[in-house]
């Protein structure tokens, strides 16, 4: 009752000053979103449009631009190094992120089973790699995987009878080292997201399943995974987008030779090299546009595929 | 009762797995510390050295000789702090507008913001670099920071938080009392959204602290280096002194570890809040 009266009172007052009030709010609304959109127009939208225009021009950043149609795209698409860099990006992306998501779910599942006091401790330790910067991770792993025969990584694989690997200059050595550092830095991040997801699953679902005689494994595949679906979709989406933008890890890991070798050159490194080492802004912009298309395509595909997991499960149930 | 049983039956393997995961997570930190205290030659010993040595200070002195470490640390702190404050203001103002005001085109503008979250930052890299160079902002923190002012996630989080936690009645009442909209923002909204500021602040601060591609592109002069660019430059020598290198990484990471250990709950909450909404 009181509430209704109050609202009536407010609305009466409102009609009196409605016009000016509304106008004021409109003005404030525009005014308050203006800072973001002004900055966005200058350093977000304008460069994005400029990039797309630039993809059809020949330009070194200094002289006049020259319209060359689709020439930049055909240069990039006919460059074996572009395809190599795309291949590297996809391989490192798969090796670095796919295991991460699986291990993340398992760790979150275990964390969720542990006593709370321990959960807090393990949560902090497992999450800690994420706070280190990509550069720091690349440098530490760069020493761990140094090409010398006495590198710690070589000592460790030596214990299993394997020959030393020159991690920075071999096709698979570089990819494995970079995938491992991506894995190490991000697995805790995904674990935290999955853990939040697990904690949002109602406990009585499991209790009901136990009463119905479902085992732990069955519960995991028929309750946990389907209920985690939104979180899995989110992490797959973010991992896909992040993996295709890989730059700092390989560039810093390989040091001064990063842009001269092709074992771990990623698409963004290829773009960077075109623009800032070779001064070819046109082809670099064409690569940027291609990268946008690849990222949107891959993110859409992976999101579609992960949504499929749940659908299959539902049918089974 | 059932829950207790469950804990007991499955507990040992669970703790073993978690223990090993923690060990693998922490080992690189420990090893970085060990290497930072060892002479470079220790690196070649077999079996590998896993105990700290006495070169902690010596290695760090070599870092100071090679890169302007404290300058870079200072630059990073200034950059992260100013960008974080600016993003908090920009995002909370826009979030307030999207949550509480009606204006034509509101939904359109909001969808624009969501769309900017999908576009990869590399798309505009070259024109952004060109723009910054035309403005004469290369090698300046202004040039390095301006890109980070675009934080669509911040507006998204703020809008969410403000519409959930600032009651409409409170705003209406303040208006009846003759408060201007800005006064409402400053005296009512800001105090309520402090927790959201902590979350977003941590997200932005760590993002700027660790970002590499843009800072690497814009900052070429050693006096303008931020920590990430300075550290990366340590690795460019033909023969790298590993003790010196990891000493630099260690001292650059220690501040963040301390901040993390103090505020770890906020860090972890920032990940879940930032992603689940």
């Amino acid at each position: 009752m009181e509430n209704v009266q109050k609202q009536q009172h407010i609305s009466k007052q409102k009609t009196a000053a409605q016009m000016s009030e509304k106008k004021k709010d409109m003005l404030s609304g525009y005014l308050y979103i203006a800072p973001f959109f002004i900055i966005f127009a200058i350093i977000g939208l304008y460069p994005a449009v400029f990039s797309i225009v630039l993809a059809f021009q020949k330009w070194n950043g200094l002289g006049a631009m020259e319209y060359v149609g689709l020439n930049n795209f055909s240069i990039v698409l006919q460059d074996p190094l572009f395809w190599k860099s795309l291949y590297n990006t996809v391989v490192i992306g798969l090796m670095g992120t796919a295991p991460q998501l699986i291990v993340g779910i398992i760790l979150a599942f275990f964390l969720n089973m542990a006593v709370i006091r321990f959960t807090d401790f393990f949560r902090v330790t497992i999450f800690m790699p994420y706070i280190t910067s990509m550069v720091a991770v690349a440098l530490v792993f760069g020493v761990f995987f140094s090409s010398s025969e006495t590198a710690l990584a070589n000592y460790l694989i030596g214990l299993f009878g394997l020959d030393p690997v020159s991690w920075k200059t071999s096709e698979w050595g570089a990819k494995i080292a970079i995938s491992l550092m991506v894995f190490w830095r991000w697995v805790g991040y995904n674990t935290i997201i999955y853990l939040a997801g697990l904690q949002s699953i109602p406990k009585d679902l499991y209790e009901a399943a136990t009463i119905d005689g479902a085992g732990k494994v069955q519960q995991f595949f028929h309750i946990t995974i389907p209920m985690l679906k939104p979180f899995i979709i989110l992490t797959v989406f973010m991992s896909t987008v992040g993996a295709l933008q890989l730059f700092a890890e390989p560039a810093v890991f390989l040091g001064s030779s990063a842009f001269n070798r092709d074992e771990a050159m990623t698409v963004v490194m290829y773009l960077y090299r075109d623009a800032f080492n070779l001064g070819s802004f046109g082809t670099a912009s064409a690569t940027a546009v291609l990268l946008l298309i690849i990222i949107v395509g891959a993110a859409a595909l992976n999101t579609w595929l992960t949504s499929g997991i749940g659908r299959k499960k539902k049918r089974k149930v | 009762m059932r829950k207790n049983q469950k804990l007991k039956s499955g507990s040992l393997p669970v703790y073993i797995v978690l223990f090993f995961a923690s060990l693998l997570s922490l080992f690189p930190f420990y090893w970085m510390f060990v290497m930072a205290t060892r002479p470079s030659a220790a690196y070649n010993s077999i079996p590998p050295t896993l105990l700290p040595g006495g070169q902690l200070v010596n290695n760090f002195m070599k870092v100071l000789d090679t890169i302007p470490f404290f300058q870079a640390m200072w630059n990073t702190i200034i950059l992260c702090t100013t960008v974080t404050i600016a993003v908090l203001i920009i995002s909370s103002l826009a979030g307030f507008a999207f949550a509480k005001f009606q204006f034509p085109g509101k939904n359109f503008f909001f969808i624009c913001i969501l769309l900017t979250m999908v576009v990869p930052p590399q798309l505009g890299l070259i024109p952004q670099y060109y723009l910054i160079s035309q403005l004469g902002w290369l090698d300046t923190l202004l040039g390095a920071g301006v890109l980070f002012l675009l934080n669509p996630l911040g507006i998204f989080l703020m809008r969410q938080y403000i519409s959930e936690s600032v009651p409409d009645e409170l705003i209406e009442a303040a208006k009846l009392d003759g408060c201007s909209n800005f006064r409402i923002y400053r005296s009512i909204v800001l105090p309520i959204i402090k927790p959201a500021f902590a979350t977003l602040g941590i997200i932005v601060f760590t993002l700027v602290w660790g970002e590499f591609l843009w800072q690497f592109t814009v900052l070429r002069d050693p006096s303008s280096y931020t920590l990430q660019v300075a550290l990366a430059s340590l690795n460019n020598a033909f023969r790298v002194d590993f003790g010196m290198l990891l000493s630099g990484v260690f001292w650059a990471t220690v501040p963040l570890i301390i901040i993390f250990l103090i505020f770890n709950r906020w860090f972890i909450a920032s990940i879940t809040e930032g992603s689940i909404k």
Side-chain angles (χ1 to χ4, degrees):
Chain A
M1 270 305 268
E2 218 181 80
N3 227 352
V4 175
Q5 265 180 350
K6 202 172 156 194
Q7 262 175 2
Q8 274 175 346
H9 175 69
I10 289 172
S11 63
K12 249 186 223 163
Q13 292 266 349
K14 245 180 154 176
T15 34
Q18 211 170 26
M19 273 321 284
S20 70
E21 187 79 0
K22 251 191 174 172
K23 262 189 186 163
K24 246 198 234 163
D25 278 6
M26 241 172 74
L27 202 68
S28 302
Y30 288 127
L31 202 64
Y32 294 174
I33 64 168
F36 177 85
F37 279 98
I38 291 170
I39 298 169
F40 170 67
I42 300 169
I43 57 169
L45 188 61
Y46 165 69
V49 174
F50 193 174
S51 235
I52 293 167
V53 172
L54 210 48
F56 300 93
Q57 317 281 332
K58 190 176 178 184
W59 193 43
N60 60 7
L62 299 170
M65 286 184 207
E66 182 194 334
Y67 179 76
V68 291
L70 289 170
N71 202 24
N72 288 328
F73 289 97
S74 76
I75 291 175
V76 172
L77 291 174
Q78 281 171 21
D79 184 358
L81 190 58
F82 170 76
W83 292 103
K84 182 72 168 63
S85 73
L86 183 59
Y87 166 77
N88 291 343
T89 311
V90 172
V91 169
I92 295 172
L94 282 176
M95 292 199 305
T97 61
Q100 198 187 107
L101 302 179
I102 295 163
V103 173
I105 290 185
I106 295 170
L107 285 180
F109 192 67
F110 282 5
L111 271 176
N112 202 30
M113 285 165 75
V115 183
I116 289 179
R117 198 154 49 98
F118 289 116
T119 306
D120 281 354
F121 171 76
F122 287 127
R123 203 168 61 153
V124 169
T125 53
I126 290 171
F127 182 70
M128 217 157 117
Y130 177 71
I131 64 153
T132 55
S133 66
M134 294 166 288
V135 172
V137 176
L139 291 175
V140 173
F141 277 71
V143 180
F144 184 79
F145 286 105
S146 91
S147 288
S148 94
E149 279 186 27
T150 53
L152 190 53
N154 279 332
Y155 174 78
L156 287 178
I157 63 168
L159 295 179
F160 295 96
L162 294 169
D163 289 332
V165 174
S166 63
W167 297 100
K168 292 188 181 175
T169 51
S170 65
E171 178 70 26
W172 284 97
K175 288 193 178 66
I176 289 171
I178 293 164
S179 307
L180 268 175
M181 65 181 92
V182 172
F183 175 83
W184 180 78
R185 181 162 185 267
W186 286 95
V187 71
Y189 178 91
N190 288 305
T191 304
I192 296 297
I193 291 179
Y194 291 137
L195 181 62
L198 288 176
Q199 286 167 346
S200 72
I201 302 176
K203 290 263 184 307
D204 35 339
L205 271 183
Y206 292 103
E207 276 162 25
T210 314
I211 292 167
D212 288 350
K216 283 244 177 67
V217 177
Q218 272 178 311
Q219 288 183 15
F220 183 78
F221 284 106
H222 292 280
I223 299 175
T224 311
I225 297 290
M227 291 297 281
L228 272 183
K229 198 177 101 179
F231 298 88
I232 297 175
I233 292 177
L234 175 82
T235 50
V236 167
F237 175 83
M238 291 198 304
S239 305
T240 308
V241 174
L244 291 170
Q245 297 177 2
L246 195 69
F247 175 81
E249 288 90 341
V252 176
F253 176 70
L254 297 174
S256 48
S257 65
F259 295 97
N260 307 326
R261 307 194 59 93
D262 72 349
E263 290 90 354
M265 179 170 285
T266 61
V267 177
V268 180
M269 286 173 72
Y270 176 80
L271 184 166
Y272 186 92
R273 170 178 164 274
D274 248 12
F276 299 109
N277 294 359
L278 306 177
S280 176
F281 282 14
T283 54
S285 296
T287 309
V289 172
L290 289 171
L291 181 65
L292 173 71
I293 295 168
I294 292 167
I295 288 179
V296 171
L301 178 72
N302 278 350
T303 309
W304 180 73
L305 285 177
T306 27
S307 325
I309 296 173
R311 273 204 295 277
K312 236 193 226 163
K313 285 274 129 60
K314 249 183 211 161
R315 237 178 274 140
K316 258 191 211 163
V317 172
Chain B
M1 280 309 268
R2 194 178 294 122
K3 208 183 156 200
N4 271 336
Q5 266 178 352
K6 212 168 30 177
L7 276 177
K8 260 183 195 164
S9 64
S11 62
L12 195 63
V14 166
Y15 287 117
I16 291 174
V17 169
L18 290 177
F19 177 74
F20 272 103
S22 295
L23 208 64
L24 290 177
S25 295
L26 295 182
F27 177 72
F29 288 100
Y30 174 72
W31 188 66
M32 168 174 79
F33 168 68
V34 170
M35 292 308 292
T37 62
R38 287 272 172 185
S40 230
Y43 189 75
N44 293 318
S45 67
I46 287 201
T49 39
L50 288 175
L51 289 174
Q55 299 293 312
L56 186 67
V57 176
N58 220 357
N59 279 335
F60 188 54
M61 287 304 171
K62 283 192 230 161
V63 173
L64 295 185
D65 286 342
T66 319
I67 52 168
F69 183 87
F70 287 113
Q71 175 77 51
M73 175 79 86
W74 177 244
N75 287 346
T76 301
I77 291 171
I78 296 286
L79 182 72
C80 292
T81 315
T82 43
V83 167
T84 303
I85 294 170
V87 169
L88 290 182
I89 295 170
I90 293 170
S91 308
S92 59
L93 275 175
F96 179 39
F98 281 121
K100 299 295 178 189
F101 294 136
Q102 294 305 327
F103 49 93
K106 182 168 137 173
N107 289 332
F108 167 77
F109 283 119
F110 194 67
I111 289 168
C112 281
I113 290 180
L114 292 186
L115 282 179
T116 62
M117 291 168 79
V118 188
V119 179
Q122 292 85 4
L123 177 65
L125 181 70
I126 293 155
Q128 279 158 349
Y129 170 80
Y130 182 70
L131 190 68
I132 295 300
S133 75
Q134 289 300 300
L135 289 167
W137 290 356
L138 288 182
D139 294 326
T140 67
L141 292 182
L142 193 62
V146 71
L147 214 58
F148 300 108
L149 297 182
L150 281 184
N151 195 314
L153 178 71
I155 297 183
F156 192 63
L157 284 178
M158 287 297 166
R159 170 183 169 269
Q160 198 81 11
Y161 197 86
I162 291 171
S163 56
E164 277 169 11
S165 59
V166 181
D168 286 341
E169 293 81 27
L170 203 60
I171 293 178
E172 293 295 341
K175 275 183 183 164
L176 287 180
D177 288 347
C179 271
S180 70
N181 282 331
F182 187 73
R183 179 86 191 278
I184 293 173
Y185 166 76
R186 213 189 50 189
S187 321
I188 297 175
V189 176
L190 280 190
I192 295 179
I193 61 172
K194 266 184 196 157
F197 266 18
T199 305
L200 180 60
I202 283 175
I203 293 176
V204 176
F205 195 92
T206 43
L207 175 87
V208 180
W209 181 286
E211 196 277 343
F212 180 64
L213 175 58
W214 176 246
Q215 296 176 31
F216 178 64
T217 306
V218 175
L219 304 176
R220 299 294 174 89
D221 184 71
S223 71
S224 69
Y225 277 179
T226 50
L227 271 181
Q228 306 309 319
V229 185
L231 287 180
S233 76
L234 281 178
N235 202 25
N236 277 340
F238 178 64
R239 267 195 57 80
V240 180
D241 179 341
F242 288 143
M244 185 266 282
L245 178 71
L246 291 191
S247 171
V249 178
F250 175 73
W251 290 110
T253 309
V254 162
L256 217 54
I257 294 179
I258 295 172
I259 297 176
F260 171 69
L261 289 179
I262 298 172
F263 297 108
N264 69 72
R265 282 179 179 282
W266 291 98
F267 270 82
I268 291 171
S270 78
I271 299 308
T272 48
E273 275 171 45
S275 56
I276 288 168
K277 288 294 176 190

